[in-house]
Amino acid sequence: MRYALFMHQVTSHSETLLKIYYLMLKMRYFEEIISEVYKEGLIRTPVHLGIGQEAIAAGILVNKSLADSVFSHHRCHNHFIGSGGSLNKLSAELFGKKNGCSGGRGGSVHLVAREVGFLGTSAILGESVALGVGAAFGKKTLRKSGLTFVFFGDAALEEGIFWESLNFAALHSLPVVFVCENNLYSTESSLLKRLPNGSKFSERVKSFGVDTLKVDGNDSVEILDLSKKILSYIRVNPRPIFIECETYRWKEHVGPFFDYEQKRSYRSKDELQHWIGRCPIIKLEKYLVEKDLVMAEELVLMKAQVESECTQAIEFAKKSQFPELNSSHVNLYYEN
Amino acid sequence: MIKNLTYAEAISNATVLAMQKYPEVSILGIGVDYPSGIFGTTSEAKEKFGLERVIDTPAMENALTGIAAGAALVGLKPIIVHARNDFALLALDQLINIYSKWQHMYDGNAGSISVVTRALIGRGWGQGATHSQSIQSILGHFPGLRVVMPATPLDAKGMLLAAISQRDPVIFLEHRNLFTVSENIETDYFETPLTGAKVLRNGSDITIVATSICVQESIQASEFLENQGVSVEVIDLRSVQPIDFKTIHTSILKTKRLLIIDTSWTTYGISAEIAARVTEIEDYPLIKPVMRLGQAANPAPVSFPLEQVHYPTIEKIIESVLILVNKVNSQSIRFEQISTNNNLKNPY
């Protein structure tokens, strides 16, 4: 099966697109199964789902090499999966079980998978942007290779720490890929309420001496096309780059429901339907089929495989143990 | 080789030794590469290791703290320097929400934030409200940080080397007015323990537990009190998170009286924590209530004469001890002003 090639270095464009598709399926299925399980009361920690935004994590992280590092923010499941993190460990973490990636002590907003370079996430806006710039700085000083990807949302650009970090990255020519998932809302506040009329992210970032790109965050083909070029370039000519990806989160800011299910009206149902119509997975699927890059049977098999992996991950979490009752003080320090 | 080194020279010496031993150590902060090098503590390092490892940064305390953490996650061992710990208040989000919690919230699976944050405590010369605070209580309050306050050149060197050689984040608070205090110490590499209090002066009538410069002041007060027939035991707390209650306990079993002196305010402070602990456990045989000395309950003044009465003076320490040992008779006791801090002409 062609998707078995995902285990190896992919070189052809169509194989890369298939890998992106597979990753997006994984992200979507997982988030949807989590939504269902959440409603059953088995997950008791806030989850910020990435449904609708998969193309960004998949399209960019498909370029990730072993030497690269990734940091994300509170809406981090897609990036964890896109980096190659274990679904079992992610699932167990959300259930608060001790074999979660963070021992059941971080929850959905503090995921880690050091083995694949996914180094941490933050629940407070902008924190992980500084961490990412720091990792890039550390690697440069220590003569280690690799890019550093930092994923965040539109509201992170409201925090001072973002600009402090960007300035430092520009000053030291650090190979940081700043990826902004602009989903037009910050909890329930529209971007229009937060960004002065006429002000653009790209112009602000450019004024710090950092090059910017803007892409349709739901178009995997465009994302791959642009990111592949720019990432190859900065691997050889280290410098920061800012990629703004316009997208939309389908579900509420935090939780498993749609806003309309919770009677929230800050976003209209029409708007939601419009963006569901721009689903990145369906879009790529159409492209792959139209360009004859995939056979119908492969799609069926991929979906079945993904569904199976996700179901297994939930079973794994259900069977896993909670941490010991009086163990919360155990890892307070590294040196114990 | 034994040499007479000041507190500042000891820090410089430790820094150079650490940077020789660990190529991963870099120094970051505003002004660290100036010829003055943070009052002489980083200039030697800059001469020896250059601008690649001694890095002047923009004014960006919060992000800088996060950047140091991120760098530590990939193997760097940064030392951040704040010329005043008041500036570190800008970095509280990183220090409290990332540094102190990183091990816990990732269950040890996310590497370690091996960052030493050096920060100076100011006092006097009209530095005033926002340049003479000391933030040990804030940082000690949130579980997960190690907070130390070396009071001697020996510990300024030994604890700095100990802090750098291990992998937890350490907040290293240095009192600016200790920088000229000197003692004979070894110039080769050595560490002193990062935790543990130390009895610097043995006595039997009363225990003084003090932090940072208050230790020096307590010793001076004790020397005067010795001549008044009062035997004072002075404990240098050294680490304020964790606090070594064992040493305090052993001392109180002997003296049964406790005076706590800290650089900051008593309210919600280190002295409050110690006072609470010794009174909530029955095993401390105190025969008098605990007494605490700290800054007056207002921000530090700027005017010279007001500054003199803002901090616990040596005279105030003497008075407090005499109250606790029931020897108060203020009219019969005369002493000259023995404050150490009036020598400071220019803190920069």
Side-chain angles (χ1 to χ4, degrees), chain B residues 121-347:
Chain B
I121 300 167
R123 178 163 152 182
W125 199 252
Q127 284 171 74
T130 65
H131 275 48
S132 48
Q133 295 168 110
S134 55
I135 62 175
Q136 59 271 23
S137 306
I138 304 173
L139 297 176
H141 179 67
F142 293 84
L145 285 176
R146 295 190 183 282
V147 184
V148 301
M149 300 179 73
T152 61
L154 182 83
D155 272 337
K157 173 173 174 174
M159 290 177 93
L160 184 56
L161 285 172
I164 294 167
S165 72
Q166 53 85 63
R167 291 178 60 173
D168 284 312
V170 177
I171 311 297
F172 196 88
L173 297 178
E174 311 156 9
H175 204 289
R176 176 72 183 89
N177 297 17
L178 285 174
F179 274 39
T180 49
V181 167
S182 67
E183 68 178 313
N184 293 327
I185 60 175
E186 172 59 64
T187 57
D188 286 339
Y189 188 100
F190 69 84
E191 295 175 18
T192 56
L194 211 49
T195 55
K198 195 169 173 188
V199 177
L200 280 190
R201 190 182 194 281
N202 285 295
S204 51
D205 292 331
I206 179 172
T207 302
I208 298 183
V209 175
T211 58
S212 194
I213 200 168
C214 307
V215 172
Q216 301 289 340
E217 292 164 334
S218 299
I219 290 178
Q220 286 185 271
S222 305
E223 274 151 23
F224 175 87
L225 285 158
E226 191 75 54
N227 297 332
Q228 304 293 312
V230 181
S231 168
V232 181
E233 179 143 295
V234 177
I235 297 179
D236 173 3
L237 201 56
R238 301 177 74 252
S239 162
V240 299
Q241 177 61 285
I243 293 177
D244 172 11
F245 283 101
K246 195 150 175 266
T247 301
I248 298 174
H249 182 246
T250 304
S251 180
I252 290 177
L253 285 176
K254 183 171 54 170
T255 66
K256 304 181 175 52
R257 292 179 185 85
L258 177 62
L259 170 63
I260 313 165
I261 314 172
D262 181 37
T263 59
S264 191
W265 294 284
T266 53
T267 310
Y268 303 123
I270 302 299
S271 61
E273 178 61 27
I274 298 171
R277 203 73 97 83
V278 306
T279 52
E280 69 191 353
I281 296 173
E282 308 249 336
D283 208 24
Y284 287 81
L286 291 162
I287 58 178
K288 281 285 225 166
V290 174
M291 218 181 210
R292 307 183 288 153
L293 293 178
Q295 294 187 31
N298 45 259
V302 161
S303 270
F304 188 81
L306 274 69
E307 266 180 351
Q308 304 315 300
V309 302
H310 179 69
Y311 297 90
T313 55
I314 292 172
E315 296 80 354
K316 182 79 185 164
I317 298 173
I318 292 167
E319 228 179 73
S320 306
V321 167
L322 292 174
I323 291 170
L324 284 173
V325 298
N326 294 334
K327 276 185 171 148
V328 181
N329 187 349
S330 48
Q331 283 155 328
S332 71
I333 294 170
R334 300 220 177 288
F335 40 78
E336 311 141 17
Q337 247 195 321
I338 9 169
S339 225
T340 49
N341 309 299
N342 294 337
N343 306 328
L344 201 68
K345 299 255 184 289
N346 182 341

Side-chain angles (χ1 to χ4, degrees), chain A residues 172-236:
Chain A
H172 292 271
S173 278
L174 301 175
V176 181
V177 187
F178 293 93
V179 185
C180 176
E181 301 192 4
N182 182 357
N183 62 15
L184 310 175
Y185 291 87
S186 169
T187 59
E188 297 181 28
S189 302
S190 154
L191 186 58
L192 302 169
K193 278 166 98 179
R194 300 176 278 122
L195 193 65
N197 212 6
S199 184
K200 294 191 168 68
F201 289 166
S202 56
E203 284 169 12
R204 292 179 170 193
V205 171
K206 275 200 189 92
S207 76
F208 276 67
V210 175
D211 288 330
T212 67
L213 291 173
K214 191 166 180 181
V215 298
D216 174 353
N218 287 16
D219 187 343
S220 312
V221 177
E222 187 190 352
I223 293 172
L224 176 65
D225 204 41
L226 281 168
S227 62
K228 202 167 162 193
K229 285 193 197 103
I230 194 68
L231 296 178
S232 316
Y233 181 76
I234 67 171
R235 280 190 199 283
V236 181

Side-chain angles (χ1 to χ4, degrees), chain A residues 101-103 105-106 110-111 114 119 121 124 127 130-131 134-135 137 142-144 161 164 328 331 333-335, chain B residues 52 60 63 66-67 70-71 73-74 93-94 97-98 103-107 109-110 144-146 166-168:
Chain A
C101 62
S102 307
R105 306 189 198 280
H110 286 296
L111 304 178
R114 256 175 102 79
L119 300 186
T121 66
I124 293 178
E127 271 176 2
L131 293 176
F137 176 78
L142 296 168
R143 311 271 190 277
K144 288 184 180 176
I161 195 174
E164 292 176 17
S328 291
N331 268 317
Y333 298 113
Y334 180 90
E335 316 266 357
Chain B
E52 218 206 327
M60 47 183 284
I67 283 166
L73 296 180
V74 300
D93 174 52
Q94 288 288 338
N97 288 321
I98 294 287
Q103 290 308 314
H104 169 82
M105 61 192 181
Y106 291 106
D107 205 25
N109 296 330
L145 285 176
R146 295 190 183 282
Q166 53 85 63
R167 291 178 60 173
D168 284 312

Side-chain angles (χ1 to χ4, degrees), chain A residues 19 65 71 107 190 234 250 263 301 315 331:
Chain A
K19 183 168 184 188
S65 74
F71 289 85
S190 154
I234 67 171
W250 293 10
K263 309 272 194 293
L301 271 156
E315 286 315 300
N331 268 317

